[in-house]
């Protein structure tokens, strides 16, 4: 069914509907809510619905809810249509099974490894997510597509930080979006009727100036100061040294006394300095995305003042009598409600910046490397280090055989370091050649001076 608002005068619109409201969201599903005094012949569960405005589709979806009521003898019929975001929660089993088989066998990779790779950036997510759908999308003329496809457009998204994933389960498409959104709070989602789901960084969202004399009301507009961030701090407790803690801050000049530092922690038994470094790089990316002042509140306006939806725009309010800070606040619009019978459109402002769970380095347990890699002291990058172990704590030192050069401990440290480098390259899905140090018993030759070389 196609509902064209341009061809329906107000009287005809009120004759067909007792309520017609479109709720758009940049963080989830958009819905079209309809009420009738008499159920039209075309109304049915999963009926495709296209809402046209200004010669273009404003909404496309299918009827997902039907209900009726009798109020003092008056019948009322209601219907809710949802856009294709609905499929992220209700993907058919056949499609999910097909995706699972593909993920499990392609290039003989384990599902968990493949998922970890696909979540490294929005670009890699876009390559792996394409959902074939029927009658959930439409053309620019408003004709539904029997063989449509949902895909991502990430050209306006920034780098996606890797969320933490479990190696013991498969994730739905909606869960992937949720994890990526938590790890990258600067992202908003604009579901286009043609099946293109645009992922846009707030930084790249266009700006829209709204003259105050064209608005019906501005309500509860205020800066979300509770989300202000001065910096991030990563603290890693090294259990192998009796509780020594390695700590690093970003930006480097931020004060530890600030109340607006977001704190991330971890406990490890190996390579604490490298763990701090790894986690801090993620925290830096989240800080850059989240360190933008958000504004809450709502703006009521009139539909005729918008040629296209203001969803995903950064708005300012200009004109005589407005607070000066409103003129440059650039508040992101994350929800828009169109009430077509009342002739109003309401813009909801602001986005919640939830701290993510940082991804930690994983190490294989081996008899020769457990608890090692404690060096580094947290002295890199302007970080701090605090120690909780006592001075009387004993330390075990390796003693080299007398007839060798005494460098066995150095070879051991170098081996552990190169193993760490190899694991980091594994994390980047890159093959790094393993290296084995020379064995003094079999690979070294004694010279005249008692030294040994290859």
């Amino acid at each position: 069914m196609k509902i064209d608002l341009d061809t329906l005068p107000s009287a005809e619109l009120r004759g067909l509907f007792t309520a017609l409201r479109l709720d758009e969201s940049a963080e989830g599903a958009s819905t079209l809510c309809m009420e009738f005094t008499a159920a039209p012949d075309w109304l049915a569960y999963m009926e495709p619905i296209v809402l046209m405005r200004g010669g273009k589709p404003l909404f496309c979806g299918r009827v997902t809810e039907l209900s009726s009521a009798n109020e003092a003898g008056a019948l009322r019929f209601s219907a809710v249509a949802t856009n294709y975001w609905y499929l992220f929660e209700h993907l058919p089993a056949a499609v999910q099974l097909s995706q699972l088989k593909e993920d499990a066998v392609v290039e003989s990779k384990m599902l968990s490894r493949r998922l970890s790779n696909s979540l490294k950036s929005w670009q890699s997510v876009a390559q792996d997510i394409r959902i074939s759908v029927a009658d959930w999308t439409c053309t620019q003329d408003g004709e539904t597509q029997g063989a449509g496809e949902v895909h991502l457009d990430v050209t306006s998204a920034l780098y996606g930080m890797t969320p933490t994933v479990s190696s013991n389960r498969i994730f739905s498409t909606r869960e992937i979006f949720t994890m990526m959104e938590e790890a990258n709070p600067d992202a908003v989602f604009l579901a286009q009727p043609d099946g293109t789901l645009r992922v846009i960084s707030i930084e790249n969202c266009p700006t829209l100036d709204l003259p105050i004399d064209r608005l019906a009301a501005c309500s509860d507009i205020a800066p979300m100061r509770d989300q202000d961030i001065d910096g991030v701090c990563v603290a890693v407790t090294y259990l192998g040294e009796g509780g020594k803690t390695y700590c690093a801050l970003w930006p480097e000049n931020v004060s530890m006394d600030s109340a607006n530092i977001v704190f991330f922690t971890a406990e490890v038994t190996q390579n604490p300095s490298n763990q701090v470094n790894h986690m801090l790089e993620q925290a830096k990316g989240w800080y850059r995305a989240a360190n933008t002042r958000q504004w809450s509140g709502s703006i009521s306006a009139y539909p005729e003042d918008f040629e296209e939806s203001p969803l995903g725009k950064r708005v300012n309010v200009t004109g005589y009598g407005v607070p000066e800070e409103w003129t440059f606040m650039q508040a992101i619009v994350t929800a828009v409600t169109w009430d077509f019978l009342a002739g109003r459109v309401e813009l909801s402002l602001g986005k919640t910046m939830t701290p993510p769970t940082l991804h930690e380095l994983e190490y294989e347990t081996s008899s020769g490397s457990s608890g090692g890699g404690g060096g580094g002291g947290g002295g890199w990058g302007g970080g701090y280090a605090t120690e909780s172990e006592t001075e009387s704590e004993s330390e075990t030192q390796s003693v080299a055989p007398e007839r060798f050069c005494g460098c066995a401990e150095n070879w051991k440290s170098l081996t552990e370091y190169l193993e760490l480098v190899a694991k980091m390259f594994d994390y980047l899905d890159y093959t790094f050649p393993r290296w084995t140090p020379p064995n003094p018993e079999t690979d070294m030759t004694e010279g005249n001076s008692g030294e040994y070389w290859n």
Side-chain angles (χ1 to χ4, degrees), residues 41-111:
D41 295 337
W42 53 264
L43 188 60
Y45 182 67
M46 284 294 159
E47 172 71 18
I49 303 288
V50 177
L51 182 67
M52 301 290 293
R53 182 178 183 271
K56 298 181 294 185
L58 181 61
F59 171 86
C60 181
R62 301 180 74 170
V63 175
T64 54
E65 295 180 32
L66 288 171
S67 62
S68 58
N70 187 321
E71 299 175 356
L75 290 175
R76 179 170 55 86
F77 300 88
S78 301
V80 176
T82 310
N83 67 350
Y84 52 76
W85 197 275
Y86 176 88
L87 294 175
F88 300 152
E89 296 284 2
H90 303 84
L91 199 61
V95 177
Q96 296 188 57
L97 182 59
S98 175
Q99 291 181 348
L100 175 60
K101 289 180 177 179
E102 178 184 354
D103 287 343
V105 302
V106 170
E107 299 179 10
S108 300
K109 291 186 177 181
M110 293 297 292
L111 177 63

Side-chain angles (χ1 to χ4, degrees), residues 113-168:
R113 177 69 177 275
R114 182 171 172 81
L115 178 62
S116 179
N117 292 338
S118 70
L119 291 178
K120 287 181 178 177
S121 69
W122 282 119
Q123 287 72 22
S124 57
V125 171
Q127 293 175 2
D128 286 347
I129 294 182
R130 289 184 177 272
I131 303 175
S132 297
V133 295
D135 296 327
W136 285 91
T137 61
C138 68
T139 66
Q140 287 300 308
D141 297 328
E143 301 300 324
T144 56
Q145 298 173 311
E149 180 185 74
V150 176
H151 60 277
L152 301 187
D153 176 0
V154 297
T155 54
S156 297
L158 296 181
Y159 171 78
M161 192 182 79
T162 305
T164 300
V165 297
S166 169
S167 60
N168 300 321

Side-chain angles (χ1 to χ4, degrees), residues 179-448:
M179 290 188 294
M180 289 296 287
E181 184 180 21
E182 289 177 353
N184 303 274
D186 64 323
V188 295
F189 303 95
L190 303 184
Q192 306 296 313
D194 66 354
T196 303
L197 181 58
R198 299 185 63 199
V199 183
I200 307 178
S201 165
I202 293 177
E203 179 181 314
N204 292 328
C205 290
T207 300
L208 180 63
D209 292 330
L210 302 176
I212 188 65
D213 57 359
R214 297 294 303 171
L215 303 178
C218 295
S219 305
D220 302 321
I221 295 181
M224 301 171 68
R225 300 188 188 279
D226 59 325
Q227 293 196 156
D228 286 353
I229 303 171
D230 291 337
V232 290
C233 176
V234 172
V236 172
T237 301
Y238 179 39
L239 301 180
E241 292 184 357
K244 184 175 181 180
T245 299
Y246 296 77
C247 177
L249 287 169
W250 182 265
E252 296 178 5
N253 60 350
V254 68
S255 171
M256 285 286 284
D257 296 326
S258 171
N260 294 325
I261 292 180
V262 180
F263 206 66
F264 301 94
T265 62
E267 292 182 350
V268 298
T269 59
Q270 297 187 52
N271 297 294
S273 294
N274 292 287
Q275 187 74 259
V276 171
N277 193 12
H278 174 69
M279 294 177 66
L280 184 65
E281 287 305 311
Q282 299 171 70
K284 287 180 183 179
W286 182 81
Y287 169 79
R288 286 189 290 267
N291 191 29
T292 301
R293 169 67 60 80
Q294 295 296 306
W295 290 75
S296 61
S298 62
I299 297 174
S300 295
Y302 305 97
E304 56 268 24
D305 288 332
F306 297 96
E307 293 185 3
E308 60 182 15
S309 175
L311 188 70
K313 303 289 197 304
R314 293 181 295 172
V315 299
N316 302 314
V317 179
T318 62
Y320 178 76
V322 304
E324 182 181 359
E325 55 187 5
W326 288 14
T327 64
F328 53 83
M329 61 181 178
Q330 294 194 333
I332 186 68
V333 179
T334 50
V336 177
T337 296
W338 303 80
D339 191 330
F340 297 105
L341 295 188
R344 287 291 182 91
V345 56
E346 183 168 314
L347 287 60
S348 298
L349 310 179
K351 194 174 190 302
T352 301
M353 303 295 187
T354 304
T357 300
L358 300 187
H359 182 275
E360 300 176 17
L361 287 174
E362 296 182 359
Y363 299 99
E364 296 178 1
T365 302
S366 61
S367 58
S369 60
S370 61
W380 52 270
Y384 298 83
T386 60
E387 298 185 10
S388 59
E389 72 270 28
T390 62
E391 295 181 358
S392 60
E393 182 177 354
S394 62
E395 296 183 0
T396 302
Q397 297 182 355
S398 300
V399 179
E402 289 184 1
R403 70 186 190 87
F404 295 118
C405 61
C407 61
E409 188 66 21
N410 294 335
W411 287 123
K412 178 177 180 295
S413 298
L414 181 59
T415 302
E416 291 178 352
Y417 175 77
L418 290 177
E419 281 298 315
L420 173 64
V421 173
K423 291 180 186 297
M424 291 295 293
F425 275 99
D426 283 345
Y427 176 74
L428 297 174
D429 200 20
Y430 177 84
T431 301
F432 184 86
R434 293 297 197 271
W435 176 81
T436 302
N439 187 332
E441 296 284 355
T442 59
D443 301 335
M444 307 288 279
T445 302
E446 184 175 1
N448 295 330

